[in-house]
Amino acid sequence: MGNLVGAELRKTTTTGLWWGLLIPTAVLALGWGLATGMLGQFFVDFASSGDVDEVSDFLGVTPDQWKVSLFGMARAINVSTIFPMVFGAMAISSEISRRTITTTFLTAPSRMHALLAKMLVYVLWGAIYGLAIMLFLGVGVALTSSPGQLPDAGGWAMLTLVCVLSSILMTMFGVGVGALIPNVAGAVVLLLLYFLVIENVLHGVLAYLEVPAVIGFLPNGSINGLTGSVSVDLFLSAAGVVPPEIEDVLRAIAGASGAQDWWLSGIVFLLWSGVVFAGGWAVTQAKDIT
Amino acid sequence: MHDGSGLIAVQNLTKQFGPVTAVQNLSFTVSPGSVTGFLGPNGAGKTTTLRMLLGLVKPTSGTATINGRPFHQLGQPGRVVGAVLEAQGFHPARTARNHLRVYASAIGVPDAQADQVIGLVGLGSAADRKVGGFSLGMKQRLALATALLGDPQVLVLDEPANGLDPEGIAWLRTFLQSYARMGRTVLISSHLLAEVEQTVDQVVIISRGQTMFYGPLQQLRQSQQKRVLVQPSDLNALATALRAEGVQAIEQLPDGRLAVSGVESKQVADTALKAGVSIYGIQEEQVDLERLFFQLTSGQYAGYAPAPYQQQQQQGGWH
């Protein structure tokens, strides 16, 4: 198994895809970070202007102490992890398209071994992408935010944890979809459509039907919940007592409306990844490689 | 684990792709120490059979084993069997050396082995070039290098001569024969008997998914009737004289010679002497394996003969 993991790792490092996708990931994270800081600054200036004093009384702290950057960071992580997901989606689909899967299966004790080795390597890559996202995002936010809006050390650590987790889980989900749909363009387009369009429409419909709790159990809803819930929790812990209505609004701003607790959201998405990977596994196991 | 015998055994193998029967009740064995040719026209089921042997395609029924085991029970298959298959892909952006190192790691052999096999197939100078820029022949050499990485006991090659230049084919021939002489098993498929005739010792000929002949090439040669080609001064006189002696299989060839089957050249010469016919040339025809191969495998996807062009032109021409 160690041999196969080594082989899969070499496959990813001997072509340029990993940095070809890492560059836009980093640029996107940095851009979101910079924008988050600037928007937060603008919002705090507006909130401090006098007309909205009630809100600050409500939250028990003055606006310049609101950790508004947390919301932007949660959203930034959600968007940036699209790239590691695409990277994962190409793991198996590109091998089938390029027909390198033949040699891969000829040199592995079984197809199961080959797929598991691949999954392990992509978990590692998911973590690397997650760390890169956090690094560039953090730099962007720190450059444009005033210190009062930034999370404390514990907050940074928690955000880094969920960012890496989120990235790993998204990559695993991608690997599963890539196995299920053995066509690079098909797998990538479907993933992008689903995560950027289809599920957002679904969220709107579910919110309209007044069953927002369902959102937290959908793939995109649960992965957003992982980061969104953490950012809301961190914001609230620094903001004092907040009525439930305001909390719902804050969740929506963090992109985590209807979401469960962060750890439950993570488990829900892990289950989705598991289901997709099991499906991809079954398809690959039964497939005639011609 | 496997028994290390180097034996390939295909038994009652059948594969159905939907309504199409690609392989039907195929049986043969391949022994170590010789090169076995796996022959049949395109579409006869060769590739499907080899892929079933290598665990890439699931048989509908029957078994295919290497060293007494199906492929997925070999444990470390890369060290037991190496394969060069048609449509075996490479990542175009990966260099040849990196390609081999990936699979060296998968098989569990040191990287030095990758450098060794790349030299062995004559790609040493192109080792650090991206495979995307390789010619078909170079890719074929790289595929062979990949197959040799694990120093396998059994080598399976599907149409390996594709894309190779004559020099490459000659090299491959020598290589495979010496590989077999080391006591290993070599199975090589082709749709042209002539292409592998000088390489193989044993043949398995299939057509329409079924075994048509299976045994030593020598035996196939002997099963072919000999023909005597003779150029007499008088065709009719010699033909009449031969028929009088009970020889019926006489054919006139386009070049003006007679082809006489089922007799020795001595008998033809004696008959000619008795009939007072001079002989300008006589030879016993070498066994035409290609013709026999054609007879064994004809019928599948048979096209119509083209309309006689000459005749049409005459009809439509100036009179």
Side-chain angles (χ1 to χ4, degrees), chain A residues 9-10 50 75 82 94 108 136 153 170 195 224 240 244 253 270 277 289:
Chain A
L9 193 60
R10 281 182 172 184
R75 291 247 169 187
I82 294 275
S94 80
F136 283 90
M170 285 288 267
F195 275 85
N224 285 354
I253 296 171
L270 181 65
F277 184 65
I289 311 290

Side-chain angles (χ1 to χ4, degrees), chain B residues 154-173:
Chain B
V154 178
L155 209 49
V156 175
L157 305 109
D158 195 8
E159 304 268 356
N162 271 0
L164 286 183
D165 49 24
E167 192 195 354
I169 292 175
W171 169 81
L172 184 66
R173 180 176 296 150

